Amino acid sequence: MLLVTFLDRIGSGLWASVSVLYFTYVSGLSFAQVGTLAAVSGAIGIAGAPLGGRLADRLPLTRVLIALQVLRALASFALLTTDHYLPLLVFSAAGSLGDRASSVLTRLYATRIAGADRVRYQAVNRTSSNAGWALGGLAAAAALTLGTTTAYRWLLAGDGLSFVLVALLTLTCAEPPSITRIAATSDDALRKRAPAGPWRDRTYLAYVATETVLFLDDTVFKIGLPLAIAHSQGVPHGLAPLLLVLNNVMVVALQVPLARHGASTAAARNLLLPLSAAFALGGVTLALAATGGTLRAVCLLTASAVAFTLAEMLHATVSWELSVALAPETALGAYLGVHGLAQSAQRSIGPLAVTAALAAGPVGWALFGTTIALTCGIQHRLVRDRLRRNPLSVPPITVSEH
């Protein structure tokens, strides 16, 4: 599955860093149309996370993953057939649905395979993922030096081909065992206290709401930084994929070491405090980047990318642990599916948030970073009481270093 993730992300790296530029310069969409397309397709993709989670509790996980990769491939190839707004919106939405569902199922696969070592496994898996993103981003940066419509279209085609290859490789992956956690000894009391499902678990739903805000770093790299670059006079467009490459190189180098600091549930919760500082710094540097000349803007945009990458890595470690620790394993697929709504929802809300911040200028970016930083504090307090009672979370674990 690590190889599958690696190849998947090479294709995504080809497309993600240039999608905004493709829709702007190849399809001829306006600034507002690009933001709306990303927001609406992201909103439709929200359904993919809970749908994927429910399917995974009922059907073979690898077979569902294969079907989703085929859907993503078809959506990518379909984008090449038109430059009209409505079909572009439909095809983007289909790809978003498959992307969000496959993301949840990949996490569930890792959780089932790794068990108590899930944080370390997820860190290694994410390292593989970002190595693929980096390679794809470098290829995209090289292609953009040509500056032709054909180069953009080949990048999109490469994304679609990667999903075809990943679907074929997934056929060779073993089906992970289903998890049943409730033991026969002290289960009756736990069952009585456990919520009937994630939709009735108000604490978990509130946690997912805060996660929606913390996942906005994803939109910063896919929408915010490219748009900031496109609307900054004198800043080369090739900086957009290069910043994505920087993001992925940092994750490859640092994600596994950072994961050691979130090896237990309590440690993961404590990381929310430095995470808050990283988000605030990212917003401040983006705000300052909008106030100077070309060299100043390039340096500050790079500094912002570093800050948001650090936030991304810290949040990934926190999220991997808390999303599972707050859920009963007997309904882990359903709970992770609901948690996946956070990433899906931010793909809808995020483009609107970053375009609003861009339109508001430096104050908008500063407010953007501050809002996410404050949300870290809210989540830190929110999960405290649940973890003290701890009727649903896993026993404390230590990530193996062997």
Side-chain angles (χ1 to χ4, degrees), residues 178-193:
S178 297
I179 294 178
T180 57
R181 181 168 78 161
I182 296 182
T185 54
S186 58
D187 299 338
D188 290 340
L190 188 149
R191 286 193 192 94
K192 290 177 182 177
R193 289 181 289 170

Side-chain angles (χ1 to χ4, degrees), residues 150-374:
T150 300
Y152 278 105
R153 293 189 181 279
W154 272 112
L155 291 173
L156 178 53
D159 185 36
L161 288 172
S162 73
F163 297 140
V164 174
L165 180 58
V166 164
L168 294 174
L169 286 175
T170 305
L171 285 169
T172 67
C173 293
E175 181 69 18
S178 297
I179 294 178
T180 57
R181 181 168 78 161
I182 296 182
T185 54
S186 58
D187 299 338
D188 290 340
L190 188 149
R191 286 193 192 94
K192 290 177 182 177
R193 289 181 289 170
W199 298 108
R200 296 186 182 182
D201 188 339
R202 287 180 293 180
T203 300
Y204 199 85
L205 291 177
Y207 163 70
V208 170
T210 61
E211 285 283 86
T212 301
V213 179
L214 301 193
F215 275 118
L216 284 174
D217 63 85
D218 181 67
T219 306
V220 169
F221 279 99
K222 292 182 178 178
I223 306 291
L225 283 171
L227 281 180
I229 290 169
H231 291 269
S232 296
Q233 188 173 5
V235 176
H237 292 171
L239 181 64
L242 289 178
L243 291 182
L244 187 59
V245 171
L246 173 64
N247 166 267
N248 288 283
V249 169
M250 286 183 63
V251 172
V252 170
L254 299 175
Q255 184 69 78
V256 172
L258 281 176
R260 298 170 185 168
H261 299 287
S264 70
T265 303
R269 176 175 173 264
N270 289 336
L271 285 179
L272 285 166
L273 301 179
L275 173 60
S276 176
F279 275 126
L281 179 61
V284 168
T285 49
L286 261 178
L288 294 174
T291 63
T294 299
L295 180 59
R296 175 188 170 91
V298 169
C299 292
L300 286 169
L301 286 168
T302 302
S304 181
V306 171
F308 277 111
T309 299
L310 179 59
E312 175 189 337
M313 291 186 290
L314 290 172
H315 179 233
T317 300
V318 173
S319 183
W320 293 332
E321 176 59 25
L322 294 185
S323 62
V324 176
L326 295 172
E329 259 186 32
T330 49
L332 192 55
Y335 269 74
L336 289 183
V338 171
H339 181 262
L341 287 173
Q343 287 181 299
S344 301
Q346 74 83 22
R347 293 197 174 194
S348 177
I349 299 170
L352 299 178
V354 298
T355 52
L358 182 64
V363 174
W365 284 124
L367 182 61
F368 179 85
T370 301
T371 299
I372 307 176
L374 291 175

Side-chain angles (χ1 to χ4, degrees), residues 2-274:
L2 293 177
L3 178 59
V4 167
T5 300
F6 177 69
L7 295 174
D8 183 322
R9 294 310 174 187
I10 288 178
S12 296
L14 291 173
W15 172 241
S17 61
V18 302
S19 60
V20 169
L21 302 177
Y22 177 93
F23 290 129
T24 301
Y25 298 112
V26 177
S27 298
L29 302 185
S30 68
F31 173 77
Q33 284 178 316
V34 172
T36 304
L37 182 146
V40 173
S41 62
I44 295 174
I46 288 175
L51 177 62
R54 291 184 66 85
L55 288 174
D57 283 339
R58 292 165 172 78
L59 299 172
L61 182 54
T62 53
R63 296 299 178 262
V64 179
L65 273 170
I66 291 168
L68 292 171
Q69 298 295 359
V70 171
L71 172 63
R72 296 170 74 193
L74 292 174
S76 293
F77 290 132
L79 288 173
L80 290 168
T81 65
T82 182
D83 289 327
H84 296 290
Y85 181 72
L86 184 58
L88 286 174
L89 178 60
V90 172
F91 300 145
S92 295
S96 178
L97 187 75
D99 180 72
R100 299 322 310 147
S102 63
S103 177
V104 168
L105 297 192
T106 300
R107 286 187 59 213
L108 183 57
Y109 186 98
T111 300
R112 290 181 177 179
I113 289 291
D117 255 350
R118 61 179 174 271
V119 174
R120 182 175 176 81
Y121 184 95
Q122 289 278 16
V124 174
N125 186 69
R126 197 159 187 272
T127 298
S128 175
S129 170
N130 280 268
W133 275 100
L135 288 177
L138 284 172
L144 285 183
T145 61
L146 300 176
T148 64
T149 298
T150 300
Y152 278 105
R153 293 189 181 279
W154 272 112
L155 291 173
L156 178 53
D159 185 36
L161 288 172
S162 73
F163 297 140
V164 174
L165 180 58
V166 164
L168 294 174
L169 286 175
T170 305
L171 285 169
T172 67
C173 293
E175 181 69 18
S178 297
I179 294 178
T180 57
R181 181 168 78 161
I182 296 182
T185 54
S186 58
D187 299 338
D188 290 340
L190 188 149
R191 286 193 192 94
K192 290 177 182 177
R193 289 181 289 170
W199 298 108
R200 296 186 182 182
D201 188 339
R202 287 180 293 180
T203 300
Y204 199 85
L205 291 177
Y207 163 70
V208 170
T210 61
E211 285 283 86
T212 301
V213 179
L214 301 193
F215 275 118
L216 284 174
D217 63 85
D218 181 67
T219 306
V220 169
F221 279 99
K222 292 182 178 178
I223 306 291
L225 283 171
L227 281 180
I229 290 169
H231 291 269
S232 296
Q233 188 173 5
V235 176
H237 292 171
L239 181 64
L242 289 178
L243 291 182
L244 187 59
V245 171
L246 173 64
N247 166 267
N248 288 283
V249 169
M250 286 183 63
V251 172
V252 170
L254 299 175
Q255 184 69 78
V256 172
L258 281 176
R260 298 170 185 168
H261 299 287
S264 70
T265 303
R269 176 175 173 264
N270 289 336
L271 285 179
L272 285 166
L273 301 179

